[in-house]
Amino acid sequence: MTNQTTHPDQITIGVFDSGFGGLTVLRELLPLIPAARYLYLGDTARLPYGSKSRETIARYAVSSARFLLDQGADLLVIACNTATALALDDIRTAALPIPVLGVIEPGAQAAAKVTLAARESTGQTPGSQILVLATTATVQSHAYSHALARLSIHATEKACPLLVPLVEEGWIDHPVTREVARIYLSEALAEDRSINTLLLGCTHYPLLHPLLQQTLVDLGRPLTLIDSAQATAQAVAACFQQASPLRERKGALCTFYATDFTDKFERLGSRFLGQPLSGVHLIDLGG
Amino acid sequence: MTNQTTHPDQITIGVFDSGFGGLTVLRELLPLIPAARYLYLGDTARLPYGSKSRETIARYAVSSARFLLDQGADLLVIACNTATALALDDIRTAALPIPVLGVIEPGAQAAAKVTLAARESTGQTPGSQILVLATTATVQSHAYSHALARLSIHATEKACPLLVPLVEEGWIDHPVTREVARIYLSEALAEDRSINTLLLGCTHYPLLHPLLQQTLVDLGRPLTLIDSAQATAQAVAACFQQASPLRERKGALCTFYATDFTDKFERLGSRFLGQPLSGVHLIDLGG
């Protein structure tokens, strides 16, 4: 793709994550841009990125981005909060000349829109109005609070390291997960009464959307939930809608790659994608 | 070291794990063999091994073992259940000519001793007498049940994927961890009434020893707990005690290496080692 006005039925969208979580972004992309071809890469041999250093994450993410570029991607979606937070610039440099979109800017912009609308309608004094839930590495990078600060919004960030393993255990609607969510949310919300928006800053968290929403109600703090996965898919779609209306094609063409364990990828991945997933190609990126 | 009768104040013991967990083995080694030099390597850039395939784990573990061999290790302790379960033979081949001990045989033997003694004293009919708690990859390898079958004992294995993240969150004595332990243990114990021994088949679990013991009491099933970390340290010490009694040296010499994030290594590692830990060297094994 030479520019972002190319019609979507001529393009290949590369979607990259450290594991399965990015499939929640692909899930949102499929109905929005059904005419595109998709290449999905989960760097499952080297996951999780969330507990690793910036240098390591950048090295892993760049080699993954290059793989998708070599496979013919015309546009790259970094469907991984940690890789976007810590390595988007490195990936953009490595993946030139194709456009690279991360999940943080779209998520921050969608949350900011809700918060600014609420501020206007209620005349609420600005405080820490958005609560971001994310992995430890994403929180430590402060990528969301920096992105929101550029939009004149102060954010509270909360690392929730147990939510990913709970989702991967399949405890999507489980008393233990409800208790962990209650602990994390009440700790974070106790700090600031002015929070009105909850931003899900990890691609695993959309699977906990109903549980988190119920927990907020139980805590007496029914916030608006914004999902970075959904916001990112909309940002990608917006690139094309400016050019021409999207045409339908029967079933998008998806090719899946993983650096490890294809059976686990298929089993867990279907849960994230929201539909059966098969024929995953095992690839070796070294390491 | 040319054979296992060399005196311990002349030897260097290499201890390897994917992360911090193996420090529980080093913690047990220090008082047992205080005269040795220790090299500890945590392959933190590529952890966790527990969710990865045999081929990937073998590649990572072999490069780590070679690093410790190059640094002068005379004996290698694979202080990682997953690496022992899936890659001990590969490591032994790669690390020749030095001896390599894993955590599974010593743990299985210690548990078997307790179980066989109980069988003799109670005349209990043999059933599934040992319950092994471990990571998903260790359980899927059936390394413990194979090792115990060679000792004529049938084992029940239970994958507990949430216990490692709970320990790393620092929720060592926390209501959520108690509830997760209750769920895992009651699921596993419901299967067989003849279980009399609980084998901790992951180096993170010693930190949960008191919590697990209390949970068993609460469930009305007070089993004997066997810790693979402790059993392994005793197996290493036994190599030398056959040769000559161990001499004291003031404070063992430990050198720590990690493939990522030395600050996290120091912070979390001290918890596992049971004493302050500093001066971790960051190394690159590629990948």
Side-chain angles (χ1 to χ4, degrees), chain A residues 215-248:
Chain A
T215 306
L216 289 168
V217 170
D218 295 346
L219 290 170
R221 299 287 295 270
L223 312 178
T224 304
L225 254 78
I226 297 291
D227 170 355
S228 279
Q230 207 168 44
T232 302
Q234 284 161 353
V236 176
C239 297
F240 304 112
Q241 278 162 342
Q242 289 162 6
S244 57
L246 300 177
R247 271 183 285 172
E248 281 283 343

Side-chain angles (χ1 to χ4, degrees), chain B residues 58-80:
Chain B
R59 195 167 74 238
Y60 290 176
V62 163
S63 66
S64 301
R66 282 203 183 119
F67 172 81
L68 288 170
L69 183 66
D70 292 345
Q71 301 303 309
D74 301 302
L75 179 145
L76 207 54
V77 181
I78 309 306
C80 171

Side-chain angles (χ1 to χ4, degrees), chain A residues 44-48 51-53 56 59-60 161-162 165-166 169 171 174 176 179-180 183-184 260-261 264 286-287, chain B residues 44-48 51-53 56 59-60 161-162 165-166 169 171 174 176 179-180 183-184 260-261 264 287:
Chain A
T44 44
R46 305 189 287 196
L47 67 80
S51 55
K52 301 191 169 78
S53 69
T56 300
R59 196 166 74 240
Y60 290 177
L162 289 168
L166 284 163
E169 180 69 313
W171 291 12
H174 190 284
V176 165
E179 177 59 10
V180 171
I183 293 170
Y184 284 147
D260 198 16
F261 245 19
K264 189 185 171 194
Chain B
T44 43
R46 305 189 287 196
L47 67 79
S51 56
K52 300 191 169 80
S53 69
T56 299
R59 195 167 74 238
Y60 290 176
L162 289 169
L166 284 163
E169 180 69 313
W171 291 11
H174 190 284
V176 165
E179 177 60 10
V180 171
I183 292 170
Y184 284 148
D260 199 16
F261 245 21
K264 188 184 171 193

Side-chain angles (χ1 to χ4, degrees), chain B residues 133-144:
Chain B
L133 304 187
T135 64
T136 304
T138 302
V139 166
Q140 283 174 348
S141 76
H142 300 303
Y144 275 102

Side-chain angles (χ1 to χ4, degrees), chain A residues 7-11 30 33-38 247-249 252:
Chain A
H7 198 274
D9 62 3
Q10 296 159 8
I11 72 138
L30 292 172
I33 318 176
R37 279 187 65 231
Y38 292 93
R247 271 183 285 172
E248 281 283 343
R249 177 160 70 186

Side-chain angles (χ1 to χ4, degrees), chain B residues 96-113:
Chain B
L96 279 173
I98 67 167
V100 180
L101 277 84
V103 277
I104 289 181
E105 278 298 333
Q109 281 172 8
K113 211 169 149 184

